[in-house]
């Protein structure tokens, strides 16, 4: 398999769960501690050896691309004020990685968003990282999949075990474990009813796929929720050509879910030595008033 150089990051969804915060600010730009959600996702890609980031955006999301561009006016202000550490911080973001983008003109689902990137991906295997899904701890999330994809020469998807009562929120796989934490995928179903799920192994927002997924995406009809589901196309790809799943190590936060978003903020703030003790003090204090 060719090296995985490109990642598609769909960020074109409406973000309805994050309203009203996401009314005019993309949910991917909401901060987790001192960085927007999307910066963590892009940093994970870079730490995994990705060279090109392809954002799938919509008309209201250009601020995401701007975040990874130079802001010469701000840089001038910081330079003149002698705030060189801040200057480096904002320049580093602009110089992080090569950014491309394509519009999803109608929000027809995650599968459709990925299909929009077809002409930029072309004929190489590529990664997909969902723009509001954060993974931390140990080997970068998408790198865990890239390593298995390169070794097995096959598409690989990331999975995590979820409680039975949450299986209806995810795509769920049926598979057999071929080595610790690595599964051969036999089937998958998008958001099954709780008692009909084939397992508790849920597809999380990390994938390494081959470009033939685009042929399948072009053929799938709207599925669950009337959307073009990536899971439906992957199900056909897995059946025809085989697919592996990797049980991902680390912690995951769905930034579109308020409880997980807020937990992620605390998780990162606690890692800042200066902030840590102050924050613990405030948390103890507010708990007394519950
Ligand atoms: P989500 O379902 O989490 O995002 O899709 P959403 O639709 O924006 O959010 P809610 O559910 O209304 O709160 C997962 C990812 O797929 C992208 C989203 O931007 C998100 O990063 N997506 C979803 C698209 O790019 N296009 C779509 O049509 C749907």
């Amino acid at each position: 398999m060719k090296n995985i150089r490109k990642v598609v990051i769909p960020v074109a969804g409406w973000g309805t769960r994050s309203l009203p915060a996401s009314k005019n600010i993309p949910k991917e730009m909401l901060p987790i501690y001192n960085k927007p959600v999307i910066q963590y996702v892009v940093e994970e890609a870079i730490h995994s050896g990705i060279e090109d980031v392809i954002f799938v955006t919509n008309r209201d999301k250009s601020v995401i691309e701007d975040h990874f561009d130079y802001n010469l006016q701000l840089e001038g202000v910081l330079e003149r004020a002698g705030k060189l550490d801040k200057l480096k911080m904002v320049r580093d973001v602009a110089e992080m990685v090569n950014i491309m983008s394509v519009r999803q003109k109608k929000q027809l689902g995650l599968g459709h968003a990925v299909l929009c990137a077809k002409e930029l991906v072309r004929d190489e295997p590529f990664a997909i990282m969902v723009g509001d899904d954060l993974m931390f701890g140990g080997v970068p999330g998408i790198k865990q999949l890239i390593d298995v994809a390169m070794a097995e020469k096959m598409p690989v998807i990331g999975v995590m075990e979820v409680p039975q009562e949450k299986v209806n929120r995810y795509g769920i796989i049926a598979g057999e474990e071929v080595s610790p934490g690595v599964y051969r995928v036999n089937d998958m179903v998008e958001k099954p009813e709780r008692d009909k799920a084939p397992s508790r192994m849920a597809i999380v927002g990390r994938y390494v796929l081959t470009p033939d997924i685009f042929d399948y995406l072009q053929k799938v009809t709207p599925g669950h929720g009337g959307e073009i589901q990536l899971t439906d196309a992957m199900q056909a790809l897995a059946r025809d050509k085989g697919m592996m799943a990797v049980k991902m190590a680390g912690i995951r936060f769905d930034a579109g879910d308020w409880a997980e978003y807020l937990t992620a903020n605390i998780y990162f703030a606690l890692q800042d030595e200066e902030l840590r003790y102050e924050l613990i003090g405030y948390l103890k204090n507010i708990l007394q008033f519950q």
Side-chain angles (χ1 to χ4, degrees), residues 9-19 22 27-28 38 56-58 61 104 106-114 129-133 191 227-228 254 256-257:
I9 307 185
V11 290
W14 286 108
T16 53
R17 288 172 299 156
S18 306
L19 285 169
S22 58
K27 71 172 164 184
E28 297 82 3
I38 193 68
V56 182
T57 67
N58 69 34
K61 302 263 182 162
Q104 184 190 27
K106 285 185 183 171
Q107 279 50 65
L108 299 178
L110 179 61
H112 179 260
V114 171
M129 298 168 74
V130 166
D132 59 352
D133 229 342
K191 301 191 173 72
E227 297 191 335
I228 304 285
D254 172 2
D257 174 283

